[in-house]
Amino acid sequence: MKLSRLALSLSLLAPASLLASPSVLAQTLSGTVTNASGKPLANATVEIEALKRVTNTNELGEFTFSDVEEGDYALHIFASGFAHLHEEANTAGGTNFVLARSAIEVIDVHATPMHLSVMESATPVSVLSGETLRRQQAATLGDTLEKLPGVQSNFHGNVASTPIIRGLSGPRVLITQNGLDVSDVSRVGPDHAVASEASTAKQIEVLRGPATLFFGSGAIGGVVNVVDQRVPTSTETRGEFLLEAQTVNDQKLGTFNVTTGSENIGFYADGFYRDSNDYETPMAPDIDDPDGEHVVENSNEESHGFTLGTSYLFDQGYVGVAVERFEREYGVPGHSHGDDSSVFADLEQTKYQLLGEYNFSHDFLQSVHFRAGYTDYEHAEIESGFVGTTFSNETEELRVELLHKPIAGWRGGVSLHYKGADVSAQGEEAFTPPSEMEMFAIALMEERHFGDFLVQLGARAERVTLDASSVLLPELDAHDHDDEHEEDEHDDEHDHDHDHDDHDEHEGSEFVRQFEVDQEFTPISLSAGVVYTINENYNVGVSLSRSERAPSASELLSFGPHIGTRTYEIGALFDLSEEGEFVLSQTAIDLETANNIDLTFRKTQGDVGFVFNAFYNQVDNYYFQEETGLFAESGHDHDHGEEEHSDEEHSEDEHSDELPVYLFGSADAILHGFELQVAWQTTDNLKLDFFADYVKARLKDGGALPRTSPMRVGTHVAYTLDNIRADLDITHFAKQDDISTFETETDGYTLVDASITYDIPMGDVDLSVYLSGENLTDEEARVHTSFLKDIALRPGRTFAFGVRGYF
């Protein structure tokens, strides 16, 4: 009875006490943001980190959060041109927050659940966004990013390129869209385009060095994350559009993106169209044909795509879905067989993404972030109207990140990751058999401030399986390709018939073995980083990591001609016997292991800022292609049964169909180097930037790794006056003479680019008209990292005129 009366009394007193003290539920957190001179900063972003609530300052620099519980909160405040500020605030009263000027733009990274930025994390990162992204965007992802420190391109005739990060690319650099694998076949070969469009992106993030903790073993060299707003987190109406024409290849480009919504429903749409012809060069591109035309054949392109997305927004977060259709037809430079046939790739991809976030009021969990995607990719390589080879990739992926509230000062959480990919290649140039990959992973990430020290720790465990049901080991007539061999073949009176019979025998030969491959790997990754804030202007960071990578299907199972790189590729599952025959390798397939250390020194505030990174990366069991010195016929039927060739033409075709044989092997390697970025805001109108990067890539037992990026130095000058902005870029690529066996040196060159932009305010639309020029000195430039450096120069002098609008 007493207990029931007590319960009744408490039930009556509770609402009365809340009515008497409404501030318990209706507190506000407010303040003002200014610069060092006391001038209010409009449109600065203010975030309550623990609640994931975000607002922007008004014209007076004021902000207010309503309906927050009484207490102290950690705020994250940032604005363009200023250093980020992390500071405590209380609901008791308004506080004035002062942002210090930063010459280096500080932009947060969306790719990771933990907070990362160029000035505040132990992991080296770069972000390309805003006007800089629009000024540097190109038809390919690698060419878009190549002015970032530590990033170069494997330039493939202006139609396909992927980023090279600190000398690593291909299966070691993961390309993602909103944190999910882009799921194309660009990592299989440099002639395969990345199925992602920079012109509709909000920003592109680059994590330099091992990022396996967040993305898995495929990111042992770094990550490139393309971010857009396809799942909108706001119903505010905004967007942009672009129209551009270019001279060097008659390119026409049109693109747009728009976000809008009503009440709790957000909508997003984007689209683009690009059309270009073969591009012009300063001289004949083929080093063996100096009198040829100044045009790179098969470098034309026509591409288009669109994305539609919608989301439901609520107080605790959002959930949304988007669908993208991406289509591209592009020529394949260097893919010719002595005739005038047109060779091009026809790429089609449909991508679905489900993205969401939920913020808890729970005592333990802070938020959950989830990303799910399904991608159906296919591209066919077509010659003279016939489909030669078809590549496909069907991928499902799921990432769930559970973040907890601070525990004894530690912030972080657990990441669960699944990815399954079914990759196949069918046709006469299918050098890798169909395979299925499946990956399950769990990762733990934590960070904590100890006074002026920020400590970041992480660990990840994966289970990776690779299954291929039909791996083929064919008979291969590989031979030395010397002058005596060529002369003997030429003098053989039965040369034409003999070669033709050999070709038929190759096409119809029986395989000596067909077998199944079932590989299982357990990569483990560990990382630790510390950032020490020396004072408000300087900090230093150190990052240590040990990352393991499972070799890809192409590195293990390849056996056939790869015409796009003009090589005959054989995987690490095979070996070359003493008798000169290719047999199954008796060497165990091991994980590739990278032991990496990064040192960083930064100046974060003031009119002068800089970031200096030095790295040392020892990679055990580094998988790479070694040239065997042997040659094999491509087996390519370039006649398609339609025409007959003369004896002379056939002899030339036979010679052109000879491909050098490359064998994947593994050895310990060391990569080390540095990146430097300096920015100086000399006046309110003039800003100077300087960068330099260098990487030395070598085998531990001696010898350079092939196609290593050369050293670069560059400068950027930006001048603004009222509605006019002028930009000048000068980049010097040093001569690369640190080469591997069978490689040739590449001369250095200097590229000069410039642009001028005029802004025209038109009510709610900010319109810009611009004129830009690239390679203004018409420099002969061959890219050392390209497989086609001897037949595909960089484009010659080009001008572009465009109109860009924001609303």
Side-chain angles (χ1 to χ4, degrees):
M1 194 68 172
K2 290 180 180 179
L3 288 174
S4 63
R5 280 201 213 97
L6 179 60
L8 178 61
S9 300
L10 290 173
S11 65
L12 293 173
L13 285 172
S17 63
L18 291 179
L19 289 173
S21 304
S23 61
V24 173
L25 295 179
Q27 290 289 318
T28 60
L29 179 62
S30 61
T32 305
V33 181
T34 67
N35 63 14
S37 302
K39 182 180 178 181
L41 293 179
N43 206 35
T45 301
V46 184
E47 177 189 15
I48 302 178
E49 293 183 322
L51 302 181
K52 295 293 182 181
R53 292 182 58 181
V54 178
T55 190
N56 293 96
T57 57
N58 60 21
E59 305 238 345
L60 299 177
E62 300 168 338
F63 69 89
T64 300
F65 291 98
S66 58
D67 297 326
V68 295
E69 295 182 4
E70 184 177 356
D72 295 326
Y73 293 90
L75 298 185
H76 178 203
I77 307 173
F78 55 95
S80 178
F82 293 87
H84 287 215
L85 178 67
H86 297 268
E87 196 163 311
E88 295 285 330
N90 191 281
T91 54
T95 306
N96 185 54
F97 300 94
V98 180
L99 296 188
R101 193 170 183 172
S102 176
I104 295 180
E105 189 72 17
V106 183
I107 303 170
D108 283 338
V109 173
H110 294 258
T112 63
M114 308 294 288
H115 173 248
L116 294 179
S117 75
V118 67
M119 288 298 195
E120 300 173 300
S121 63
T123 303
V125 299
S126 298
V127 180
L128 194 61
S129 69
E131 291 295 327
T132 305
L133 171 59
R134 293 295 169 250
R135 194 177 72 252
Q136 296 182 11
Q137 71 185 29
T140 64
L141 185 62
D143 296 344
T144 297
L145 299 175
E146 70 168 343
K147 289 182 180 178
L148 291 177
V151 183
Q152 295 198 35
S153 166
N154 68 354
F155 181 81
H156 201 84
N158 219 39
V159 294
S161 73
T162 54
I164 300 173
I165 302 178
R166 294 178 167 181
L168 298 177
S169 62
R172 297 178 180 88
V173 173
L174 182 65
I175 300 172
T176 63
Q177 184 100 35
N178 298 316
L180 295 171
D181 195 336
V182 74
S183 301
D184 50 27
V185 293
S186 61
R187 306 174 86 195
V188 175
D191 56 317
H192 300 157
V194 177
S196 186
E197 178 60 31
S199 67
T200 57
K202 174 188 174 184
Q203 65 185 50
I204 303 178
E205 306 161 351
V206 179
L207 279 64
R208 305 194 303 275
T212 55
L213 177 64
F214 303 112
F215 295 95
S217 63
I220 200 170
V223 168
V224 174
N225 184 44
V226 181
V227 181
D228 58 29
Q229 298 295 305
R230 64 182 57 193
V231 174
T233 57
S234 169
T235 58
E236 177 187 359
T237 298
R238 62 183 183 275
E240 62 177 303
F241 61 86
L242 169 70
L243 295 172
E244 182 184 277
Q246 198 172 106
T247 60
V248 75
N249 55 359
D250 299 320
Q251 176 181 278
K252 283 84 176 176
L253 171 66
T255 178
F256 80 94
N257 66 76
V258 60
T259 302
T260 188
S262 176
E263 296 182 352
N264 288 13
I265 305 298
F267 298 98
Y268 174 85
D270 74 35
F272 77 96
Y273 175 81
R274 179 185 289 107
D275 181 73
S276 64
N277 298 323
D278 294 345
Y279 70 87
E280 300 174 353
T281 58
M283 60 172 291
D286 192 337
I287 200 170
D288 296 324
D289 185 17
D291 298 323
E293 294 186 16
H294 293 201
V295 172
V296 174
E297 296 180 353
N298 284 343
S299 61
N300 57 310
E301 173 201 353
E302 182 179 359
S303 58
H304 54 87
F306 70 87
T307 304
L308 297 175
T310 185
S311 61
Y312 175 69
L313 312 178
F314 48 94
D315 291 341
Q316 292 81 20
Y318 70 94
V319 61
V321 64
V323 58
E324 176 191 12
R325 179 66 176 176
F326 184 94
E327 297 184 14
R328 192 176 190 206
E329 286 188 3
Y330 61 96
V332 184
H335 194 154
S336 62
H337 305 277
D339 53 19
D340 296 326
S341 60
S342 174
V343 184
F344 66 95
D346 186 1
L347 184 160
E348 298 180 353
Q349 184 186 68
T350 303
K351 184 192 301 287
Y352 302 90
Q353 289 192 343
L354 173 67
L355 309 178
E357 176 182 319
Y358 188 90
N359 297 292
F360 294 93
S361 56
H362 195 275
D363 289 338
F364 178 71
L365 284 178
Q366 175 175 296
S367 62
V368 57
H369 306 255
F370 57 90
R371 300 180 176 93
Y374 170 78
T375 303
D376 186 8
Y377 171 95
E378 181 177 284
H379 93 247
E381 295 186 354
I382 301 170
E383 180 177 354
S384 301
F386 290 85
V387 176
T389 309
T390 300
F391 296 85
S392 66
N393 183 357
E394 187 175 358
T395 302
E396 309 95 23
E397 186 172 10
L398 174 66
R399 289 180 60 188
V400 178
E401 290 145 0
L402 298 167
L403 303 182
H404 62 75
K405 290 188 176 179
I407 301 175
W410 288 95
R411 302 168 58 91
V414 175
S415 174
L416 305 173
H417 192 185
Y418 165 79
K419 181 162 61 178
D422 187 350
V423 180
S424 67
Q426 303 290 337
E428 60 185 12
E429 293 172 13
F431 57 93
T432 302
S435 62
E436 295 181 6
M437 185 279 297
E438 197 168 47
M439 180 270 291
F440 296 91
I442 182 171
L444 174 67
M445 301 149 286
E446 297 289 339
E447 68 176 17
R448 182 183 173 181
H449 283 274
F450 294 89
D452 293 328
F453 291 87
L454 170 64
V455 178
Q456 297 177 323
L457 303 174
R460 179 184 174 107
E462 295 182 42
R463 177 182 176 271
V464 181
T465 59
L466 178 64
D467 299 323
S469 60
S470 182
V471 178
L472 306 175
L473 176 56
E475 293 180 348
L476 181 66
D477 180 20
H479 51 265
D480 292 330
H481 196 193
D482 52 34
D483 293 337
E484 182 180 354
H485 176 77
E486 291 176 11
E487 185 177 351
D488 288 343
E489 285 189 340
H490 180 73
D491 291 340
D492 192 331
E493 62 180 349
H494 303 294
D495 178 60
H496 176 75
D497 293 336
H498 176 74
D499 286 345
H500 185 72
D501 289 341
D502 278 352
H503 183 70
D504 290 343
E505 182 180 341
H506 175 80
E507 292 291 306
S509 63
E510 295 183 359
F511 294 101
V512 297
R513 191 169 181 185
Q514 177 176 331
F515 53 94
E516 294 185 5
V517 170
D518 183 3
Q519 294 280 341
E520 181 175 330
F521 305 95
T522 309
I524 303 293
S525 297
L526 303 171
S527 69
V530 177
V531 179
Y532 170 56
T533 302
I534 302 171
N535 54 43
E536 62 181 12
N537 292 322
Y538 297 92
N539 68 43
V540 294
V542 59
S543 176
L544 303 171
S545 65
R546 177 179 173 84
S547 308
E548 295 181 328
R549 181 180 76 91
S552 67
S554 60
E555 291 173 311
L556 289 181
L557 311 178
S558 294
F559 204 117
H562 190 175
I563 305 300
T565 59
R566 309 175 87 189
T567 59
Y568 198 103
E569 298 186 3
I570 299 178
L573 202 64
F574 309 99
D575 203 354
L576 183 61
S577 69
E578 294 181 358
E579 292 76 20
E581 297 180 352
F582 288 96
V583 296
L584 284 175
S585 174
Q586 301 303 309
T587 304
I589 302 300
D590 293 324
L591 290 168
E592 186 176 280
T593 304
N595 302 282
N596 187 81
I597 179 171
D598 258 289
L599 301 175
T600 305
F601 180 43
R602 309 179 182 99
K603 185 177 186 297
T604 61
Q605 299 183 16
D607 291 333
V608 176
F610 63 79
V611 180
F612 176 76
N613 297 105
F615 65 91
Y616 182 90
N617 191 8
Q618 178 176 312
V619 187
D620 299 333
N621 299 315
Y622 179 89
Y623 287 89
F624 69 105
Q625 289 177 305
E626 292 183 280
E627 191 164 359
T628 61
L630 302 177
F631 287 78
E633 293 182 10
S634 70
H636 182 82
D637 182 10
H638 48 80
D639 293 333
H640 298 293
E642 290 187 352
E643 300 179 8
E644 292 185 1
H645 287 261
S646 67
D647 290 353
E648 182 179 354
E649 289 173 331
H650 188 90
S651 177
E652 291 176 357
D653 287 342
E654 283 294 319
H655 183 76
S656 66
D657 278 355
E658 295 269 298
L659 300 176
V661 177
Y662 281 80
L663 177 64
F664 275 97
S666 65
D668 295 344
I670 295 175
L671 299 94
H672 56 89
F674 71 87
E675 298 123 12
L676 174 63
Q677 179 183 4
V678 181
W680 180 22
Q681 190 75 51
T682 59
T683 68
D684 289 339
N685 304 102
L686 181 63
K687 183 179 179 182
L688 306 177
D689 291 278
F690 170 83
F691 84 92
D693 56 26
Y694 169 77
V695 60
K696 169 82 171 179
R698 57 187 173 87
L699 295 174
K700 193 174 181 179
D701 293 336
L705 289 174
R707 290 175 297 280
T708 299
S709 308
M711 182 177 177
R712 295 183 305 172
V713 294
T715 185
H716 170 242
V717 182
Y719 181 77
T720 58
L721 180 63
D722 298 328
N723 292 357
I724 298 177
R725 174 187 172 107
D727 293 272
L728 174 67
D729 289 278
I730 302 175
T731 307
H732 176 71
F733 292 74
K735 178 180 180 180
Q736 182 57 287
D737 54 9
D738 189 10
I739 56 177
S740 65
T741 308
F742 301 108
E743 265 195 304
T744 58
E745 296 180 356
T746 304
D747 291 337
Y749 54 90
T750 301
L751 299 179
V752 180
D753 306 332
S755 67
I756 185 167
T757 304
Y758 182 69
D759 297 329
I760 309 172
M762 300 181 64
D764 294 334
V765 177
D766 294 327
L767 197 66
S768 299
V769 179
Y770 64 90
L771 175 67
S772 64
E774 297 181 2
N775 194 8
L776 293 177
T777 60
D778 211 26
E779 182 90 344
E780 176 191 344
R782 299 186 184 274
V783 181
H784 183 77
T785 54
S786 173
F787 276 88
L788 302 182
K789 76 165 187 174
D790 290 334
I791 64 171
L793 282 75
R794 286 183 181 269
R797 183 188 297 112
T798 180
F799 295 97
F801 176 77
V803 178
R804 185 165 52 235
Y806 300 91
F807 57 89

